[in-house]
């Protein structure tokens, strides 16, 4: 492994309070001053070490840590003073991480790759908490670099992670502050019980007040987007609040929302990148003899132009992890127990998902489909509940006709969720359904397509089984659910039912939004993915079945121009109408149709 040219010495002095532990660095003496400092940052890699889509069994062409390694090596060859950091959501995201190495002891391919790359620090993303405290402790043990998060602590008041570090490059001292996403409890519930979290802006402010006179450059690595996700009023989970409270920040790294960010705001440089290692953030700072920044530039570097490095793909442990994952999916060699791992375990009699009428608009969110009915059927079967709710996590999720392996299941259910059963009233269920239906935009006259609220990501849209219902898109959000029928009768507000829902939705919606009063009464011992595998194994051959228990109403998508306009979209001559419907009146005003 490449040795770092400069070492970071971190000394823990004192924990001031729940959130205000501090560290200081005693750097080695340097004989030469840096004129230029290069900062490289990655974010939301989601376990993509090799540059491979395991569910598709295909190499990627523009993602993965192996490509990042090539780029980092090139930069280090060109620049004398380089800092490399990661912004979290690195340990979760594919079959290799979630189904194999996150559930066992010992080395981990993601941490091995990060050590090989010589990261200086990383902050914790919200998905680092998906597997509980034990995995975070394991990461901290395996990492050859500090894992930093200044806005979290243990419930007993002790530090849960290093709040910041000071590194030195060419005599320039750089304070690097980590901030995790304070919404982690909203998404991971009891898995975050050992920790308490605070708002990102005030936490950054407290640390900067401690280190400002000890460093020349202040950098914040924060696993939040620029704009708050939930707390619009106070901005406790947004990068803008960090900059508002801490205008002296020189570099702010953001992430979490998988968006490219490239901005210089006053004297602060702000960078964010797309997920899976698709992009690397590069920031170059020029300093004068007094170590003051006199120039700053930012580039977001696409990894499509870089070939994978043998630094990662030549490592024996990573090779073995990659091979084991493919064997797990496709069927590897026979083991000592005489059993073959993974492989094909079922057949689909036909393709489950209907083709999209409009490019980029998933039919699976416009009508009931066999994929969602399968997931909800399995949830009802395993939970014994009356009603089930589940989401189509990816717009491309499908079960194709033919062989089914574990990659197929990951493709329709990409998260390692467990299943909960909770008692709800009819009124609570309807409130939950309204919350879900807010993912659509309201239909207006002239619309010939249905579109989705850009403020509500698709993975928040749940579809329900066990009840029949209609979604009236002529109505505003909160007034859309109509004609809810349970066991052949209108569902009364006082009737009690048992609801099957995954652990993420239970925490992030039912409890965080205060939609349901009761607490869960049962949790599955295995994951929903495991339940799907078991169900298909039992069936052998699965038929796509659709009960059409829900439909969208209150819209009129007909128009003599409809086929013409849809063809323009499908031919790439009009933008995909995902966040804004195709509206005939608007298109006429723009001269698109006449």
């Amino acid at each position: 492994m490449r040795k770092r040219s400069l070492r970071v010495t971190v000394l823990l002095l004192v924990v001031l309070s729940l959130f205000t532990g501090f560290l200081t660095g005693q750097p080695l003496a340097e004989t030469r001053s840096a004129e230029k400092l290069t900062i490289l940052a990655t974010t939301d890699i989601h376990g993509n070490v090799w540059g491979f889509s395991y569910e598709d069994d295909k190499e990627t062409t523009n993602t993965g840590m192996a490509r990042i390694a090539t780029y980092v090596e090139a930069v280090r060859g060109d620049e004398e003073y380089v800092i490399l950091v990661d912004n979290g959501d690195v340990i979760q995201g594919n079959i290799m991480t979630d189904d194999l190495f996150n559930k066992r002891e010992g080395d981990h391919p993601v941490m091995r790759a990060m050590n090989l790359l010589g990261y200086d620090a990383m902050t914790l993303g919200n998905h680092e908490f998906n597997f509980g405290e034990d995995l975070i402790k394991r990461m901290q043990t395996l990492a050859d670099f500090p894992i930093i998060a200044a806005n979290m602590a243990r419930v007993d008041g002790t530090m849960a992670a290093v709040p910041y570090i000071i590194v030195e490059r060419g005599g320039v001292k750089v304070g690097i502050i980590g901030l995790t996403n304070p919404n982690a409890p909203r998404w991971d519930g009891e898995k975050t019980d050992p920790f308490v979290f605070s708002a990102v802006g005030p936490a950054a402010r407290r640390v900067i007040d401690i280190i400002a006179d000890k460093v020349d450059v202040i950098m914040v690595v924060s696993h939040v987007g620029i704009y708050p996700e939930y707390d619009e009023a106070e901005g406790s989970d947004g990068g803008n609040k960090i900059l508002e409270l801490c205008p002296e920040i020189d570099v702010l790294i953001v992430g979490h929302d998988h968006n490219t960010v490239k901005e210089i705001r006053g004297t602060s440089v702000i960078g964010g990148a797309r997920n899976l290692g698709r992009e690397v953030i590069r920031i170059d700072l020029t300093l004068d003899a007094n170590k003051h920044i006199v120039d700053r530039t930012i580039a977001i570097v696409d990894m499509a132009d870089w070939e994978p490095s043998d630094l990662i793909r030549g490592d024996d442990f990573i090779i073995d992890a990659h091979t084991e994952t493919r064997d797990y999916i496709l069927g590897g060699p026979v083991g000592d127990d005489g059993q073959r791992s993974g492989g094909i375990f079922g057949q689909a009699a036909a393709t489950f998902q209907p083709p999209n009428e409009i490019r980029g608009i998933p039919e699976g969110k416009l009508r009931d489909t066999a994929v969602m009915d399968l997931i909800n059927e399995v949830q009802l079967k395993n939970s014994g509940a009356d009603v089930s709710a589940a989401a189509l996590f990816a717009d491309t999720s499908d079960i194709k006709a033919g062989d089914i392996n574990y990659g197929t299941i990951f493709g329709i259910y990409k998260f390692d969720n467990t299943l909960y059963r909770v008692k709800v009233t009819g009124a609570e269920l309807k409130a939950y359904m309204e919350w879900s239906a807010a993912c659509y935009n309201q239909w207006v006259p002239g619309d010939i397509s249905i579109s989705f609220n850009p403020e509500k990501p698709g993975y928040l849209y749940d579809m329900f089984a066990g009840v029949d219902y209609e979604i009236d898109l002529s109505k505003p959000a909160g007034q859309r659910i109509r004609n809810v029928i349970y066991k052949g009768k209108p569902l009364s507000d006082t009737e009690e039912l048992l609801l099957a829902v995954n652990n993420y939705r239970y925490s992030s919606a039912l409890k965080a939004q205060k939609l349901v009063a009761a607490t869960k009464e049962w949790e599955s011992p295995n994951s929903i993915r495991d339940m799907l595998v078991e169900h298909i194994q039992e069936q052998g051959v699965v038929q796509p079945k659709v009960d059409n228990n829900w439909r969208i109403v209150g819209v009129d998508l007909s128009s003599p121009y409809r086929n013409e306009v849809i063809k323009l979209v499908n031919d790439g001559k009009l933008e995909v109408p995902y966040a804004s419907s195709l509206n005939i009146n608007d298109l006429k005003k723009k001269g698109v149709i006449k």
Side-chain angles (χ1 to χ4, degrees), residues 508-558:
S508 64
L510 302 192
K511 288 305 174 184
Q513 303 295 325
K514 299 180 180 178
L515 299 172
V516 173
T519 56
K520 73 176 191 291
E521 62 177 38
W522 171 84
E523 178 179 1
S524 66
N526 54 345
S527 72
I528 294 170
R529 281 209 298 261
D530 291 339
M531 296 175 197
L532 287 163
V533 170
E534 182 180 349
H535 175 81
I536 293 170
Q537 286 174 325
E538 290 172 355
Q539 298 292 314
V541 177
V542 287
Q543 299 279 349
K545 297 181 295 183
V546 187
D547 61 11
N548 294 309
N549 69 304
W550 68 270
R551 66 190 184 112
I552 291 172
V553 299
V555 302
D556 179 3
L557 305 180
S558 63

Side-chain angles (χ1 to χ4, degrees), residues 21 65 96 129 135 147 152 196 208 227 246 252 281 288 295 300 316 388 434 492 507 513 521 524 569 587:
M65 297 180 77
M96 180 180 71
F129 297 93
L135 182 59
I147 295 178
M152 64 177 287
V196 284
I208 290 172
Y227 301 101
C246 313
L252 174 64
I281 304 157
D288 64 17
D295 191 29
I300 307 300
D316 288 342
S388 174
E434 288 285 7
S492 73
S507 299
Q513 303 295 325
E521 62 177 38
S524 66
V569 176
L587 293 172

Side-chain angles (χ1 to χ4, degrees), residues 9 21 95 115 120 128 196 233 257 262 297 316 353 389 424 443 452 463 466 493 510 518 526:
T9 304
I95 297 170
N115 287 338
D120 291 289
E128 263 69 72
V196 284
D257 55 13
K262 177 184 174 184
T297 63
D316 288 342
Q353 208 74 321
V424 298
W443 178 86
F452 304 94
M463 288 161 266
D493 287 349
L510 302 192
N526 54 345

Side-chain angles (χ1 to χ4, degrees), residues 24 40 62 70 91-92 109 112 131 190 241 243 259 306 309 332 345 358 370 387 397 450-451 478 494 555 562:
T24 186
L40 302 179
N62 55 8
T70 303
I91 203 75
Q92 170 275 342
R112 174 70 71 95
F131 296 83
E190 296 108 327
K241 179 60 70 170
L243 291 172
N259 288 329
W306 299 86
S309 170
F345 55 80
I358 303 174
V387 183
S397 292
I450 293 168
S451 60
T494 57
V555 302
R562 190 169 193 273

Side-chain angles (χ1 to χ4, degrees), residues 33-241:
S33 295
E35 294 179 355
K36 181 181 177 184
L37 179 67
T38 300
I39 295 167
L40 302 179
T42 56
T43 187
D44 297 276
I45 289 173
H46 285 289
N48 191 358
V49 173
W50 194 269
F52 200 85
S53 174
Y54 290 107
E55 57 268 38
D56 303 317
D57 194 44
K58 291 180 180 178
E59 293 262 357
T60 64
T61 60
N62 55 8
T63 68
M65 297 180 77
R67 285 184 172 81
I68 291 171
T70 303
Y71 176 67
V72 170
E73 288 177 311
V75 174
R76 284 176 172 153
D78 293 338
E79 306 293 345
E80 187 170 4
Y81 303 113
V82 180
I83 292 173
L84 176 63
V85 298
D86 182 79
N87 195 27
D89 277 7
V90 67
I91 203 75
Q92 170 275 342
N94 59 40
I95 297 170
M96 180 180 71
T97 56
D98 299 8
D99 295 280
L100 298 176
F101 286 90
N102 288 356
K103 296 180 177 180
R104 62 176 67 164
E105 295 301 316
D107 206 348
H108 193 292
V110 171
M111 303 314 297
R112 174 70 71 95
M114 295 186 77
N115 287 338
L116 288 170
L117 273 162
Y119 275 84
D120 291 289
M122 72 162 283
T123 195
L124 292 168
N126 55 287
H127 281 289
E128 263 69 72
F129 297 93
N130 288 172
F131 296 83
E133 182 182 19
D134 287 346
L135 182 59
I136 291 174
K137 286 182 175 179
R138 185 170 151 219
M139 290 175 66
Q140 290 170 324
T141 300
L142 291 173
D144 290 344
F145 48 86
I147 295 178
I148 55 177
N151 64 323
M152 64 177 287
R154 299 192 185 279
V155 292
D156 62 5
T158 59
M159 292 173 59
V162 176
Y164 73 88
I165 62 170
I166 297 176
V167 302
E168 186 174 330
R169 294 291 187 271
V172 176
K173 299 175 185 176
V174 182
I176 306 175
I177 302 165
L179 297 168
T180 190
N181 196 302
N183 294 312
R186 175 189 293 270
W187 299 312
D188 279 305
E190 296 108 327
K191 295 175 184 177
T192 63
D193 282 353
F195 310 109
V196 284
F197 300 80
S198 68
V200 291
R205 181 72 265 165
R206 286 190 291 264
V207 176
I208 290 172
D209 288 342
I210 294 167
I211 68 170
D213 61 350
K214 301 178 176 68
V215 299
D216 305 302
V217 175
I218 297 173
M219 177 164 63
V220 174
V221 185
S222 56
H223 193 80
V224 295
I226 283 287
Y227 301 101
E229 188 171 8
Y230 291 100
D231 185 12
E232 292 185 11
E234 300 298 327
S236 63
D237 56 348
N240 277 336
K241 179 60 70 170

